[in-house]
Amino acid sequence: MARNEPQRLRATIQAVKELILDQGLQPGDPLPTEAQLVDLLDVSRGNLREAVRTLVALDILEVRHGTGTFVGQMSLRPLVEGLGFRGVVLPGEDFQSLRQIVEVRSGLDHALADAVVERMDDAVAVELKALCDAMAEHSERNEAFAAEDRAFHLALASMLGNELYSELVAAFWDVHTRLAPRLGVPTPRDIADTVAAHRAMLDAAVSRDLEGYRAAVGNHYAPLLRVLDSTSTTG
Amino acid sequence: MARNEPQRLRATIQAVKELILDQGLQPGDPLPTEAQLVDLLDVSRGNLREAVRTLVALDILEVRHGTGTFVGQMSLRPLVEGLGFRGVVLPGEDFQSLRQIVEVRSGLDHALADAVVERMDDAVAVELKALCDAMAEHSERNEAFAAEDRAFHLALASMLGNELYSELVAAFWDVHTRLAPRLGVPTPRDIADTVAAHRAMLDAAVSRDLEGYRAAVGNHYAPLLRVLDSTSTTG
């Protein structure tokens, strides 16, 4: 390989990004064909393909085979993929990597407290109550309730009206949920507490009780952190 | 291109990840050579290169030219790169993308309040005071103080003892700092307020004044959000 390949690759990546900006392309818009890009950017086909592969990994581009290359959604998918793998490669002592992820989730939920308590309204309260009821039913039948749990946290995050914040909440929920079974972390035995903790968050928000809401967020994450402690001492 | 290339590529990416796990490789460890990997994983050279390129983009692998391929640091660099570009491609109305990033920064700092106020000690207080003094000196000379600002927020984040949280704080600081000039957002005219806001955060933490600390965090981000408002109405 040429010694200057990294610089050339970086330059090609930069050139593709500038083309997206110059042409005002938006997510979902098609890029010129590979042959056109080779001409336009004056790069080799191999170099272009490596640049495209890099940008696909970052969700900046999307290749639909048989159709072409498009501007990607620029989602947080690379974050989920990277942290998910890092958590397995570097689990750390006592599930440290998973504990860090749970603490980030807790931090993101805590930081929502003001907005949630201030903006809670009947429509959201009804939606959250239905999710809590569904969780309770699943819990009684010893079933998991991942979908309801995710929807609950996303409904709270959406009250901030900040799409990026919601994506972060979803991303760390996803990493947490995928990593826990891979690391062999058991489901908390006190899973019923988790159901009750969601309802306590809802009740505190409806009562506009800021300190009560913060306490409920703390109680929500307590069993998730406790199971990491108990696992580390018995394993 | 073969129609089944995406699946084959995904399978090769997965195979490289499993090899890292099976061999217990850690960040910085060398991978087998390209020729060995082609044999070991029974894949084509082109396919392997695309997989490596994807994993390099995610910082799961690192290619040092002339040396070989190594396990990467699995940092949040892909997040910074992705969000930085997304903020330029999708600036939104009224700098919406930058506003969302500033709000995430604010949320991350707010969520640290309990840990910072509880754990503030003389050593950290001295470090933060020196940073505030340096910011004030720069501000008086009409100089920027990005390095001190970043160090201040990272010193606070480090009090949680959660490396991932610190990386997130750094990542959103980096995206914010790179994006603002690219979007043509002026430096807040009330930059002296920002210096004072850092000092207020420190003072409240030293006094173990939780509500005062939260208010100071709010005041810290106020000029940064205000400049987005004023820009959107005058521009």
Side-chain angles (χ1 to χ4, degrees), chain A:
Chain A
M1 278 183 224
R3 192 167 285 180
N4 61 346
E5 184 166 319
Q7 268 117 327
R8 275 203 299 135
L9 178 58
R10 230 173 300 151
T12 306
I13 290 167
Q14 194 53 39
V16 174
K17 283 177 161 184
E18 275 163 23
L19 180 131
I20 292 171
L21 291 173
D22 291 347
Q23 301 200 352
L25 301 180
Q26 295 290 298
D29 286 350
L31 253 68
T33 64
E34 187 175 84
Q36 287 170 331
L37 285 171
V38 162
D39 271 358
L40 273 168
L41 308 179
D42 193 21
V43 294
S44 75
R45 204 168 144 130
N47 206 245
L48 178 65
R49 284 197 178 171
E50 283 209 281
V52 166
R53 188 50 57 202
T54 295
L55 292 167
V56 166
L58 297 172
D59 204 20
I60 288 174
L61 291 182
E62 182 190 343
V63 174
R64 299 183 206 150
H65 286 272
T67 318
T69 303
F70 299 79
V71 179
Q73 297 302 314
M74 304 184 217
S75 68
L76 299 191
R77 193 196 64 204
L79 176 70
V80 174
E81 194 166 342
L83 283 184
F85 190 61
R86 162 170 149 174
V88 184
V89 172
L90 297 170
E93 296 282 315
D94 302 345
F95 299 106
Q96 192 192 359
S97 70
L98 188 59
R99 184 186 306 270
Q100 291 185 348
I101 286 158
V102 175
E103 280 181 5
V104 169
R105 287 195 57 204
S106 172
L108 290 171
D109 266 342
H110 266 104
L112 286 170
D114 282 300
V116 165
V117 167
E118 193 182 312
R119 301 177 192 174
M120 182 56 64
D121 60 27
D122 288 351
V124 181
V126 165
E127 181 190 350
L128 292 175
K129 186 179 177 307
L131 290 168
C132 286
D133 291 346
M135 286 186 220
E137 282 171 37
H138 283 300
S139 174
E140 278 162 29
R141 286 189 234 125
N142 282 313
E143 293 166 359
F145 46 81
E148 290 82 1
D149 185 82
R150 193 176 194 274
F152 186 92
H153 291 281
L154 273 179
L156 289 174
S158 73
M159 299 185 76
L160 192 63
N162 178 331
E163 200 185 315
L164 176 62
Y165 205 100
S166 294
E167 286 178 69
L168 268 181
V169 167
F172 279 92
W173 190 97
D174 290 344
V175 175
H176 179 192
T177 308
R178 287 178 205 181
L179 202 52
R182 285 210 65 177
L183 294 180
V185 174
T187 306
R189 259 164 290 172
D190 38 9
I191 192 75
D193 292 0
T194 301
V195 177
H198 285 103
R199 220 183 276 279
M201 287 167 69
L202 169 59
D203 290 345
V206 168
S207 313
R208 308 216 182 281
D209 171 7
L210 183 59
E211 284 314 312
Y213 184 81
R214 287 187 176 135
V217 171
N219 290 336
H220 168 276
Y221 286 101
L224 300 173
L225 291 166
R226 204 149 50 222
V227 78
L228 296 178
D229 288 331
S230 63
T231 309
S232 73
T233 49
T234 59

Side-chain angles (χ1 to χ4, degrees), chain B residues 65-89:
Chain B
H65 287 274
T67 320
T69 303
F70 299 79
V71 179
Q73 297 302 317
M74 305 185 216
S75 68
L76 299 191
R77 192 195 67 204
L79 176 71
V80 174
E81 193 166 341
L83 283 184
F85 189 63
R86 163 170 147 175
V88 184
V89 172

Side-chain angles (χ1 to χ4, degrees), chain A residues 21 164, chain B residues 80-92 95-102 171-186 228:
Chain A
L21 291 173
L164 176 62
Chain B
V80 174
E81 193 166 341
L83 283 184
F85 189 63
R86 163 170 147 175
V88 184
V89 172
L90 297 170
F95 299 105
Q96 193 193 355
S97 70
L98 188 59
R99 183 184 306 270
Q100 291 184 349
I101 285 158
V102 176
F172 279 92
W173 190 96
D174 290 344
V175 175
H176 179 192
T177 308
R178 287 179 204 181
L179 202 52
R182 285 210 66 174
L183 294 180
V185 173
L228 297 178

